[in-house]
Amino acid sequence: MKIIHAGDLHLKKFYRGRLPLEVSNKLLEDTWRAFKDLADFSNEVQADIFLLAGDLFEREFFNLRDLKRFLDIIKAIQAKVFVVFGNHDYLSSDNLFLKVDLPENLYIFKSDLDFYELSDLKTRIYGISYDNYNFKKDFSSVKLDKNFINIGLFHSDLKDERYLPLDESFMREFNYLALGHIHKRGKVLDNAYYCGSLIPLSFKDEGKRGIIFLDDEKKILEYKDFSRREFVNLDVKISEDMTFSEILKNLQDKIEEDNLYRIILKGRSLHKREIESFLRENLSAFYFEINNELTQALEGDFEIKDKYILDLLDTFSDEEIERAARDLSREYILEQYYDI
């Protein structure tokens, strides 16, 4: 028996923040491309079971055209496809999946725990969908038939009471427990795994992303990557003796063409703002943003020593906009008060 375990596609995710429209649109298409690649992979390995562990789409942006595109990909999958809905795509009465005819190979779990029996594989797939953004159920009375291979499909946060927390004793009842909601893939118990998001979705999602592939006959459980680009938080250490060209070259050498970078400038320099402007004009990348945390050095290493002025500067927080305000205030004080 071969199983695909995927989830957290977040199709039609709206990228809030600094991303320009053309970059955001490319990221939206990345998810569709990865899902199509996953469908092709499932057919190549001749998977029997295809599990989707919730948060497949963003409710406020996903429309009927998107649903048709999604279902066209599902129809091409040879395996039986099982879906639970999570907190982003919960199964209330206005969910688009309830408005259309579904492919024969697709089974959707409703908002009460249920199972689907694959008699030829002696296997039962258990699952449950959210019916609201926050969702909790008690499974203490559930008994599984040990004459079957029992697989669980749940969108769950094991540490947050709002998102279907699961008791460990219940989790251990399954031969395999396919979890969604946490975007970082990993092992929870010997039988329980988060597949992670299909592709990285923000700078919180560092590293590769993809799915879990299980081959019961070969006793294989492995992660498969389906992301072509990564979100990278990149610390860049700058010293006072570095030239602008050296800083640019050292940074450019670390940049990979398809990735998105949040560059954090650290260290000390006489040219804090000039370095940032130079990098913005000359650095080449698919996308980058710069957090300038450089300490402004001064000719002769002059520092403010007045306690009242230092206390005033300390009232600014470490939020980006307040850091900038603090630096401007400091420069103004040095120019006006200390005549530098």
Side-chain angles (χ1 to χ4, degrees):
M1 181 165 55
K2 297 175 183 176
I3 301 172
I4 301 291
H5 170 197
D8 290 279
L9 281 61
H10 290 275
L11 292 164
K12 295 300 290 284
K13 175 180 171 62
F14 178 72
Y15 289 86
R16 297 173 175 85
R18 307 178 187 177
L19 296 185
L21 182 61
E22 63 270 19
V23 172
S24 183
N25 286 339
K26 287 180 180 179
L27 295 177
L28 289 172
E29 281 303 309
D30 280 353
T31 311
W32 286 108
R33 186 272 315 155
F35 187 45
K36 176 62 168 61
D37 288 349
L38 175 55
D40 293 341
F41 171 77
S42 177
N43 291 340
E44 288 170 12
V45 298
Q46 298 182 320
D48 302 289
I49 298 170
F50 194 113
L51 306 173
L52 288 171
D55 280 0
L56 309 184
F57 60 91
E58 301 296 321
R59 287 175 57 91
E60 61 267 45
F61 303 116
F62 196 78
N63 58 37
L64 281 171
R65 182 179 297 177
D66 301 318
L67 177 57
K68 181 181 184 306
R69 187 176 181 182
F70 179 86
L71 294 179
D72 283 345
I73 296 174
I74 293 292
K75 289 175 186 176
I77 296 173
Q78 296 165 10
K80 184 71 175 180
V81 180
F82 297 91
V83 165
V84 296
F85 293 113
N87 54 302
H88 281 259
D89 55 0
Y90 54 86
L91 195 64
S92 59
S93 60
D94 60 343
N95 189 301
L96 292 177
F97 279 74
L98 300 178
K99 311 292 185 183
V100 300
D101 294 329
L102 300 176
E104 292 184 2
N105 67 327
L106 175 61
Y107 184 82
I108 291 177
F109 289 98
K110 301 301 193 298
S111 299
D112 289 303
L113 185 66
D114 194 8
F115 67 82
Y116 185 100
E117 186 174 313
L118 297 166
S119 55
D120 55 329
L121 297 175
K122 290 270 308 172
T123 298
R124 286 179 173 177
I125 314 295
Y126 285 79
I128 187 170
S129 288
Y130 287 40
D131 60 12
N132 211 321
Y133 187 79
N134 298 329
F135 190 71
K136 187 175 182 179
K137 289 282 184 176
D138 180 11
F139 302 123
S140 59
S141 63
V142 176
K143 303 298 180 185
L144 305 185
D145 188 338
K146 299 302 182 179
N147 292 312
F148 291 86
I149 296 171
N150 294 300
I151 296 173
L153 180 60
F154 296 92
H155 192 83
S156 170
D157 190 327
L158 304 179
K159 297 180 180 179
D160 192 327
E161 291 292 320
R162 296 175 298 172
Y163 306 117
L164 194 64
L166 301 175
D167 185 76
E168 183 176 331
S169 60
F170 174 70
M171 294 167 65
R172 291 189 180 279
E173 287 289 304
F174 294 92
N175 297 90
Y176 181 75
L177 193 63
L179 298 173
H181 184 71
I182 303 299
H183 290 185
K184 184 177 181 180
R185 56 195 183 186
K187 179 180 179 179
V188 178
L189 300 170
D190 289 340
N191 65 323
Y193 289 80
Y194 280 107
C195 60
S197 57
L198 183 59
I199 67 169
L201 297 168
S202 73
F203 283 103
K204 295 179 181 179
D205 294 351
E206 288 194 279
K208 298 289 187 181
R209 291 294 191 273
I211 60 110
I212 292 176
F213 173 59
L214 300 92
D215 187 331
D216 186 54
E217 292 179 6
K218 295 182 179 179
K219 305 302 179 186
I220 291 174
L221 185 153
E222 58 185 346
Y223 297 107
K224 294 285 187 181
D225 297 332
F226 280 84
S227 51
R228 292 183 182 175
R229 62 178 106 248
E230 297 179 45
F231 285 82
V232 180
N233 292 284
L234 183 60
D235 287 349
V236 179
K237 182 69 174 177
I238 293 174
S239 60
E240 293 182 55
D241 60 347
M242 294 178 71
T243 67
F244 284 29
S245 295
E246 286 175 332
I247 295 168
L248 176 63
K249 183 181 186 307
N250 291 343
L251 180 52
Q252 192 69 65
D253 288 345
K254 295 180 174 68
I255 299 294
E256 295 184 19
E257 182 179 359
D258 293 327
N259 292 342
L260 298 90
Y261 290 88
R262 175 172 287 161
I263 298 164
I264 303 98
L265 302 180
K266 295 180 177 290
R268 186 178 178 85
S269 175
L270 289 166
H271 309 289
K272 174 177 179 175
R273 300 194 181 284
E274 292 86 348
I275 288 172
E276 179 179 341
S277 297
F278 179 77
L279 292 176
R280 290 190 185 280
E281 293 174 4
N282 294 281
L283 188 65
S284 177
F286 171 73
Y287 171 79
F288 71 91
E289 56 192 53
I290 295 176
N291 288 354
N292 192 343
E293 297 182 7
L294 286 169
T295 299
Q296 178 69 55
L298 300 166
E299 297 288 354
D301 199 29
F302 190 92
E303 292 292 341
I304 297 173
K305 299 185 183 301
D306 188 298
K307 179 180 182 303
Y308 296 104
I309 295 176
L310 290 173
D311 288 344
L312 171 64
L313 295 175
D314 283 343
T315 62
F316 292 92
S317 75
D318 285 331
E319 294 291 329
E320 181 180 357
I321 190 170
E322 294 212 20
R323 288 204 311 268
R326 178 177 58 209
D327 292 341
L328 286 172
S329 299
R330 186 177 185 279
E331 290 175 15
Y332 180 80
I333 291 168
L334 287 169
E335 290 175 0
Q336 302 298 319
Y337 186 75
Y338 289 97
D339 194 25
I340 291 176

